[in-house]
Amino acid sequence: MQSVIEHYQASIQQAVENKTPLHICGGGSKSFYGQAVPNQTALILDVTAYHGIIDYEPTELVVTARAGTRLAELESVLSQHGQMLAFEPPHWSEAATLGGCVAAGLSGPRRVSAGSVRDFVLGVRLLNGIASDLHFGGQVMKNVAGYDVSRLMVGAMGTLGVLLEVSLKVLPKPATEITLCMDIDEQSAIERMNEWAGRPLPISATCYVDHVLYLRLSGAESAVRAAQEKLGAETWGDGQAFWQSVCEQTHSFFQSPKPLWRLSINPTAAPLSVPGKQLLEWHGGLRWVVCEDPSDAESIRSAAKAAGGHATLFRHGDGQIPVFHPLSPGLMKIHRALKEKFDPQRILNPGRLYSEL
Amino acid sequence: MPLQTLIKDLYAILPADAVLYETEDLKPYECDGLSAYRQLPLVVVMPQTESQIVQILQLCHANQIPVVARGAGTGLSGGALPHAQGVLLSLAKINRIVAIDPLARTARVQPGVRNLAISEAAAAYGLYYAPDPSSQIACSIGGNVAENSGGVHCLKYGLTVHNILKLRLLTIDGDCLEIGGEGLDSAGYDLLALLTGSEGMLGIVTEVTVKLIPKPEKAQLVMAAFDDVLKAGNAVANVIAAGIIPAGMEMMDKITIHAVEEFLHAGYDMNAEAILLCESDGSVEEVADEVGRIHTILKQSGATNISLSQNEAERLGFWAGRKAAFPAAGRVSPDYYCMDGTIPRKRLAEVLNGIARLSQEYGLRCMNVFHAGDGNLHPLILYDANQPGELEKTEEFGGKILEMCIHAGGTITGEHGVGMEKINQMCVQFSPDELEMFHAVKAAFDPHGLLNPGKAVPTLHRCAEFGAMHVHHGALKFTELPRF
């Protein structure tokens, strides 16, 4: 496996010499996400060859795997020990890798209760833009030695380093899960979700779509049943299929070819008056909008900002509107400085996150 | 810049009583919770508004004066140790709870607000702020962000980094940045994570938005005694293997049990080699279920004695002993030195044996308290600072414990930070390239190295010297070198 790393390093060194950007590619499941790496001369760095689980101790709640490991393989091994990636990562293809999952930094429905990818990252090994082989963080839950560079990699879209290995905290799967549903208007749904979240109830996910609020309860059988009684809602038959369709975006809501926006905002924000159909997750903190008219970008971004958050043009952008929410000049200055330190020649996925990086 | 000019310029920004420069006024600020390291700053400033801090930073930036931020001063790694040529920026007076939003379950607080004060203010809504470092009655949220503080409940509820949403951050040139947001994620790099635990090296936090979570309906504590530390360690693994994430899981060794019991009479089993405290919280039904399972597992794992807290007073009583471990150490010894390594739990027995061996070698007693769920070990080395050479011996002993933690696959600091104290061990944990990357991160925020200079990340030069010290059997050479 060391030879694979040496091959990656040689590719980076060559890219630095030739000043040719590298387009880092894992399983390709998220190739639609983010901006295109603009330079036509970009070389593909295939990072699937460095794969496999390195260390897994169920009783330590920690797994370390190579970044090219398929997510499905990793989750199946965890599942054999009754454990899971609690941030419920979307796959979008069987080929999805751990590295892509961390680089994209996207989490699924359980994120609202369990935490996000970055919350579970304990350490990484990476190659920076000059091919130095670096370890940050570690394989233990609590670690404050040095700056938290491992979590900085989450969502950086490969612009700061090529991920080689990732250590993650894992959690036991809940003993019981049931899904409840109720017909309700959007404003009331937002209020209910947030009120319930402030009470000790085992709600692990929420979704509001087509005037129906879906709730998933997870935990000990006794706790789930008691909560069901308190909430008094109906049980939804195939909960597992429903949540999977939301996470994997196979739900009919996501089937439109129109631009799909992802707004991460204050969960209590009133229903957004932006044009297009919406689906809510995370107690209202995540709002998906299918927007009929691509020229509505400005109004969507200002609505997200007014609600304390940001908007990503998640799918079906036109290549002109920036995918990620523009940063303030002060923040962009820090971003540019960090990029310059990790990748001085700007060869790692340049432009994938912001055209300036 | 002459001191008189600096003072004059600071008076233009702050009221007279917020600028301290006489030696006797500076004295209370010469150290933080790690009193082994002391240094007087040039000046202490105590701003009350963000705009005052902006002006102080602009003044220091323009004149290249180091700035060291300080919250409540309870840190245990010398992170708030003043700089001899610098300004000590006390944030203790910026201590307002700005707003609590019970529906969104957030609190906006200024950096000087005490950790516990947030939970007290949120209690009216049935909410609380989860991270609970043992100093929570005194430590400030700004300091918690700087250190990424944990607490006894962090296996289940996370560290500071998992429980904050947004920061207002001033850079060294006085720019104000909003980091994070009101949603669960934000655009661009995860600077919120990078800044949490950055030990005041990257910027000055002027406001923190924290997450609040609902208070569990019920909490119950299971206390188990073991005749062997290894059995207690295995019991922890067995609980987790059964799919249980206890709210808290703490272990104490025999010397700690005795020190605590003599001090507090918490009802601990004096014959035990180790005591495990295992807390379950949640709904009434969930706790009943979980406590039953924990009881069975601990029994099967060889516990010699198991008690369940029967009411809230008893639960707090069982905890009181654990929480009094540090004062108890202070009672059985004139001084103690608290270490903070984290190890994979499976290496516990090996590391404890190593500590026992070192304890004999150095002729210094060592108590061990352990956040068993997450592998965070706090050995307390007992020493007497009035005995010549004993502090040096203690530091060397402590350094060896940390290196043992690294070799066991762990880290030199789980929650107390590197600060001044563990800066040499950073050379053991990280390669020169990695340390250079840390310096580069610092330079991205603070190109002139004015914020808390010399802490947390050693220079490569220092590491080279430290390496040389190792060759000479740990005998401290180059003691005249500045410690950074």
Side-chain angles (χ1 to χ4, degrees), chain B residues 144-484:
Chain B
N144 289 179
V145 171
E147 303 295 330
N148 192 15
S149 306
V152 296
H153 293 100
C154 61
L155 179 67
K156 185 166 177 181
Y157 296 107
L159 308 159
T160 305
V161 70
H162 303 111
N163 287 280
I164 60 175
L165 281 174
K166 188 174 164 186
L167 299 175
R168 274 176 79 82
L169 182 89
L170 298 178
T171 58
I172 182 64
D173 43 10
D175 263 5
C176 183
L177 302 179
E178 296 234 329
I179 310 284
E182 292 169 40
L184 290 174
D185 50 41
S186 55
Y189 296 143
D190 198 332
L191 300 183
L192 192 64
L194 184 66
L195 287 161
T196 310
S198 63
E199 304 199 22
M201 307 270 293
L202 305 181
I204 304 295
V205 171
T206 59
E207 191 179 288
V208 187
T209 303
V210 303
K211 294 184 198 170
L212 303 172
I213 59 170
K215 264 198 197 151
E217 260 171 33
K218 187 181 176 182
Q220 193 171 14
L221 193 63
V222 185
M223 176 167 74
F226 290 85
D227 57 10
D228 176 17
V229 174
L230 188 59
K231 281 187 198 164
N234 289 337
V236 174
N238 294 339
V239 169
I240 288 172
I244 298 170
I245 302 292
M249 190 135 62
E250 295 289 311
M251 197 193 287
M252 287 170 280
D253 69 355
K254 185 166 194 165
I255 166 166
T256 310
I257 298 165
H258 281 243
V260 165
E261 190 56 30
E262 280 156 23
F263 176 40
L264 215 74
H265 312 293
Y268 291 173
D269 181 346
M270 298 279 273
N271 294 317
E273 286 295 321
I275 281 181
L276 194 63
L277 299 174
C278 191
E279 185 159 276
S280 169
D281 70 10
S283 68
V284 173
E285 303 81 9
E286 203 174 1
V287 170
D289 197 67
E290 199 168 89
V291 163
R293 292 171 64 207
I294 292 172
H295 189 280
T296 310
I297 295 165
L298 296 181
K299 199 163 178 195
Q300 284 165 354
S301 306
T304 51
N305 193 349
I306 302 179
S307 332
L308 304 183
S309 67
Q310 295 305 319
N311 51 50
E312 194 58 10
E314 201 166 88
R315 185 181 76 89
L316 296 174
F318 287 170
W319 269 123
R322 164 61 186 90
K323 292 197 171 174
F326 289 22
R331 215 171 147 270
V332 296
S333 168
D335 299 282
Y336 66 92
Y337 197 80
C338 173
M339 309 307 297
D340 173 45
T342 306
I343 52 169
R345 203 181 335 89
K346 62 184 169 184
R347 310 287 291 271
L348 177 65
E350 174 191 333
V351 171
L352 288 181
N353 285 336
I355 293 174
R357 209 167 46 239
L358 287 168
S359 169
Q360 280 197 330
E361 196 179 304
Y362 283 92
L364 293 167
R365 291 174 299 161
C366 184
M367 295 167 43
N368 287 293
V369 293
F370 187 46
H371 299 304
D374 46 41
N376 190 196
L377 186 62
H378 292 311
L380 303 172
I381 304 173
L382 308 181
Y383 74 103
D384 182 354
N386 288 328
Q387 296 294 321
E390 205 157 292
L391 172 63
E392 290 72 20
K393 233 169 49 170
T394 301
E395 286 188 296
E396 201 180 298
F397 178 4
K400 287 197 177 169
I401 293 177
L402 297 184
E403 285 160 38
M404 204 155 59
C405 291
I406 299 172
H407 293 135
T411 176
I412 58 173
T413 174
E415 57 184 355
H416 295 171
V418 174
M420 221 40 221
E421 182 202 18
K422 305 174 196 83
I423 198 152
N424 284 336
Q425 282 71 36
M426 285 291 284
C427 309
V428 183
Q429 185 161 339
F430 294 99
S431 73
D433 282 350
E434 289 155 0
L435 294 172
E436 283 294 282
M437 220 50 250
F438 287 145
H439 286 298
V441 168
K442 160 100 172 141
F445 286 82
D446 176 20
H448 301 290
L450 295 176
L451 287 169
N452 213 4
K455 309 278 176 62
V457 186
T459 60
L460 296 187
H461 177 74
R462 186 187 173 94
C463 287
E465 299 291 3
F466 178 62
M469 284 193 282
H470 257 299
V471 175
H472 294 283
H473 306 287
L476 270 173
K477 287 181 78 181
F478 311 114
T479 44
E480 73 285 4
L481 275 179
R483 292 190 67 114
F484 57 77

Side-chain angles (χ1 to χ4, degrees), chain A residues 63-271:
Chain A
V63 66
T64 301
R66 298 186 184 95
T69 310
R70 287 190 173 200
L71 266 186
E73 178 197 338
L74 179 60
E75 289 187 315
S76 125
V77 171
L78 298 179
S79 186
Q80 287 164 23
H81 295 271
Q83 296 185 337
M84 62 176 181
L85 299 176
F87 48 92
E88 209 172 3
H91 293 217
W92 296 325
S93 135
E94 278 176 22
T97 62
L98 172 61
C101 162
V102 171
L106 295 166
S107 309
R110 203 184 304 276
R111 187 263 174 270
V112 74
S113 57
S116 63
V117 194
R118 77 89 129 123
D119 290 335
F120 287 87
V121 166
L122 300 175
V124 299
R125 178 179 178 189
L126 61 89
L127 299 176
N128 66 6
I130 55 168
S132 304
D133 184 350
L134 308 167
H135 290 76
F136 296 102
Q139 291 178 272
V140 288
M141 305 279 166
K142 283 164 90 177
N143 185 358
V144 292
Y147 302 119
D148 198 343
V149 174
S150 23
R151 290 195 172 101
L152 181 65
M153 294 300 135
V154 183
M157 301 294 286
T159 59
L160 297 177
V162 177
L163 294 170
L164 293 176
E165 295 166 13
V166 183
S167 295
L168 294 165
K169 177 180 175 178
V170 298
L171 283 181
K173 284 184 160 185
T176 311
E177 288 202 316
I178 61 167
T179 298
L180 307 180
C181 65
M182 60 187 71
D183 293 323
I184 189 170
D185 67 89
E186 187 180 351
Q187 176 65 45
S188 311
I190 292 170
E191 282 166 17
R192 291 271 181 94
M193 287 189 280
N194 284 288
E195 274 165 20
W196 287 332
R199 288 165 54 190
L201 295 164
I203 298 174
S204 69
T206 51
C207 178
Y208 180 77
V209 63
D210 298 330
H211 313 289
V212 180
L213 174 59
Y214 299 84
L215 300 172
R216 184 173 63 191
L217 304 178
S218 306
E221 169 91 30
S222 55
V224 167
R225 296 294 163 212
Q228 186 184 6
E229 262 178 48
K230 278 178 211 164
L231 293 167
E234 284 172 54
T235 312
W236 179 261
D238 197 352
Q240 202 183 347
F242 173 76
W243 295 107
Q244 191 171 348
S245 76
V246 173
C247 183
E248 297 297 337
Q249 300 192 339
T250 53
H251 188 279
S252 59
F253 172 85
F254 294 101
Q255 302 316 307
S256 164
K258 303 284 183 191
L260 173 69
W261 287 83
R262 174 190 186 274
L263 282 71
S264 175
I265 58 173
N266 186 319
T268 61

